[in-house]
Amino acid sequence: MSERYRGHFIVLEGGEGAGKTTLARSLAERFRETGRETVLTREPGDTVAGEKVRELLHLELSPWSEVFAFLVSRAQLVTTVIRPALERGDIVICDRYEASTYAYQGWGRGLDFDELERVNRLATGGLEPDSVLYLDLPPATGLERKHGEADALRTGQEELAFHERVRAGYLFLMEDAPPGRWHRLDATQAPESVATAAWEALGG
Ligand code: TYD
């Protein structure tokens, strides 16, 4: 569903250690330099409820409980941060969004895609990104980069085969997306090269 608002909703997606956080910061800086109001946010987190959800996600949850935890964070973020910013005309850069649920809980955990889509739509009210930047990286490389990270959630601690399925999921989602929405970036490149490629993909 496409919606009418004045802002631009950019989502960064990718597996573990792909460099989304670094790219998000760098893009926000570039947009601000051009004078655009820019909101930088991430999932899960960035609201009081979202931070509680992060705590919850350290527990051993059933696959569907995990989905609903992510959706609590998403619903709260959409309502209190993302939608208001887009209505003001801001650029919103969000580190992960619905594609993470499809890739991790759908492909990774094997939950039914149509059901995930249904519950996700309830959480987002149908708000979809204008642009998705997908940072593609072999999962083994990404896991190596993230090795030993203190705050890793349970999904980040899964075995390599899980992360290979997540990547397959992302590649499927990219193929299936409306033309022009998804942009694949080679995340094996240096961060500055990734940022330049991202900026060009966004038409900057
Ligand atoms: P996080 O610590 O925020 O780091 P990063 O986004 O840099 O990987 O980890 C978020 C974890 O949550 C990550 O393993 C992906 C996972 N995740 C899901 O499984 N489903 C979701 O819907 C979202 C938003 C994240």
Side-chain angles (χ1 to χ4, degrees), residues 13-21 42-44 54 57 66-67 70-71 73-74 95-105 109 146 149 151-157 162-163 170:
E13 289 285 358
E16 308 298 307
K20 291 179 287 79
T21 310
R42 69 158 183 173
E43 277 200 20
R54 279 192 88 81
L57 285 163
E66 185 179 73
V67 169
F70 282 115
L71 293 184
S73 172
R74 183 164 307 143
D95 188 343
R96 296 196 183 279
Y97 191 60
E98 58 189 8
S100 285
T101 305
Y102 302 141
Y104 280 79
Q105 280 65 50
R109 300 252 189 257
K146 273 196 110 168
E149 189 176 273
D151 191 37
L153 300 182
R154 298 189 86 87
T155 38
Q157 297 174 31
F162 174 91
H163 295 284
Y170 274 126

Side-chain angles (χ1 to χ4, degrees), residues 115-130:
E115 287 180 348
L116 285 174
E117 223 178 8
R118 207 168 327 135
V119 289
N120 176 68
R121 199 163 291 150
L122 291 174
T124 62
L127 180 70
E128 292 184 3
D130 298 298

Side-chain angles (χ1 to χ4, degrees), residues 1 11 14 26 42 50 56 67 127 130 134 139 141 143 153 159 169 188 195:
M1 181 198 302
V11 168
S26 147
R42 69 158 183 173
L56 199 61
V67 169
L127 180 70
D130 298 298
Y134 169 54
T141 312
L143 291 175
L153 300 182
E159 78 287 356
T188 63

Side-chain angles (χ1 to χ4, degrees), residues 133-150:
L133 299 172
Y134 169 54
L135 279 77
D136 191 28
L137 186 71
T141 312
L143 291 175
E144 181 103 341
R145 283 188 189 169
K146 273 196 110 168
H147 186 67
E149 189 176 273

Side-chain angles (χ1 to χ4, degrees), residues 42-105:
R42 69 158 183 173
E43 277 200 20
D46 241 17
T47 62
V48 175
E51 294 305 331
K52 297 267 179 214
V53 165
R54 279 192 88 81
E55 285 173 32
L56 199 61
L57 285 163
H58 284 291
L59 305 177
E60 194 170 332
L61 300 175
S62 76
W64 276 106
S65 306
E66 185 179 73
V67 169
F68 287 114
F70 282 115
L71 293 184
V72 167
S73 172
R74 183 164 307 143
Q76 192 69 7
L77 194 66
V78 166
T79 310
T80 64
V81 177
I82 299 176
R83 236 180 240 286
L86 293 173
E87 281 163 5
R88 287 194 303 270
D90 296 357
I91 302 275
V92 175
I93 300 173
C94 190
D95 188 343
R96 296 196 183 279
Y97 191 60
E98 58 189 8
S100 285
T101 305
Y102 302 141
Y104 280 79
Q105 280 65 50

